[in-house]
Amino acid sequence: MAYLVFSAKGQELGKRPLAGPMVIGRSPECDISVRDILLSRRHCQLEPTPEGWVIADLGSKNGTFVFGQTVSRHVLRDGDMVQLGQTQVTFRAGKMSGAAADPKQPIGVRRPTDPWEALSGTVSGFDFAKSHRIDVQRTARKTPRPLSSFPKPQPNPADPAAYAKDDLYSMLTDIAVSSWDSVYDDASRQMVKRRMPRPVIHPNASTAAVMTPQREVLHKTTQDLLKKTDQRVRRQRLGGFFSRLLRGVASASQWLWLLGTLPRKS
């Protein structure tokens, strides 16, 4: 009977037996759910074949690796090391030793519930007072503390494959030194421009059935404002017409007066 051993950062997280086709991913709906932010919701699938157990990548973002090599489909052998994000999976073809993990619970390290718990294993969570046992009788005498009890700095994890594929660091540099328009134009991933929705008014639609008292008041007020606006526009147009007519009459009167003052030849 084959089974899988899950581990991360040298710590075993649990074991799961393989009884049939199983999907591994970050989603709780997967057969084996793993708490790993670098995993896709449906990352890979294991299924039995005449050749043996086969692992197939389901188009994950960060890929599936066997002994450091990216694979899309691979026949597993006893002892194969599969890397899924930050989680390491070891395939075993023999009988499982020890108890299996609860299939209803996701595999992985539980997230800390508060900031103090998150800092407990780091230098920021180091308590100097508790790390040294001070002799009350002679305060100058301190019991030496072994170096193994001090916090150990951990190396940074390797960058996911998607960072290099999407050219993340170049994009961050462009963001720091360029405008947003140039960043979008030079990005390796094409940005999808969505069109803004436009309101559609159906002229034949009847609103009487959904008319409420508030809408009736609003509708009546709008109609009154439109009528007053139309009347004001008509008065302005009529006033402009009479003003132009009076200016024309005044201009004609001036010309007639000028013509009357000219001397006539006998």
Side-chain angles (χ1 to χ4, degrees), residues 124-141:
S124 300
F126 175 68
D127 192 348
F128 182 82
K130 294 182 179 179
S131 63
H132 288 72
R133 292 175 297 171
I134 301 177
D135 193 346
V136 179
Q137 300 295 333
R138 297 178 180 181
T139 56
R141 181 184 301 175

Side-chain angles (χ1 to χ4, degrees), residues 181-215:
D181 296 336
S182 61
V183 171
Y184 287 138
D185 294 338
D186 300 336
S188 58
R189 180 180 296 176
Q190 185 178 4
M191 303 297 294
V192 179
K193 296 182 179 179
R194 298 181 179 179
R195 299 180 59 184
M196 295 298 293
R198 301 184 62 183
V200 179
I201 300 177
H202 298 281
N204 298 328
S206 176
T207 58
V210 294
M211 188 67 70
T212 59
Q214 293 81 1
R215 291 187 178 182

Side-chain angles (χ1 to χ4, degrees), residues 3-68:
Y3 64 96
L4 301 176
V5 181
F6 294 84
S7 59
K9 297 181 181 181
Q11 180 182 1
E12 183 176 325
L13 303 177
K15 302 176 182 179
R16 287 289 179 86
L18 295 175
M22 306 186 77
V23 176
I24 301 177
R26 184 167 45 89
S27 173
E29 299 176 356
C30 294
D31 300 316
I32 302 179
S33 178
V34 181
R35 291 193 184 101
D36 193 334
I37 193 62
L38 298 182
L39 261 67
S40 300
R41 294 184 62 83
R42 291 172 56 86
H43 197 94
C44 62
Q45 181 178 6
L46 287 92
E47 57 182 354
T49 63
E51 300 174 343
W53 283 92
V54 173
I55 184 170
D57 188 81
L58 299 178
S60 61
K61 184 175 181 63
N62 293 322
T64 301
F65 299 84
V66 177
F67 291 113

Side-chain angles (χ1 to χ4, degrees), residues 196-241:
M196 295 298 293
R198 301 184 62 183
V200 179
I201 300 177
H202 298 281
N204 298 328
S206 176
T207 58
V210 294
M211 188 67 70
T212 59
Q214 293 81 1
R215 291 187 178 182
E216 290 180 358
V217 173
L218 180 61
H219 181 72
K220 185 177 180 181
T221 305
T222 305
Q223 294 296 331
D224 293 341
L225 289 175
L226 290 176
K227 290 180 180 178
K228 292 180 180 179
T229 304
D230 292 341
Q231 294 174 1
R232 189 181 300 110
V233 171
R234 293 193 189 98
R235 286 196 295 268
Q236 290 177 355
R237 290 179 179 176
L238 188 60
F241 172 75

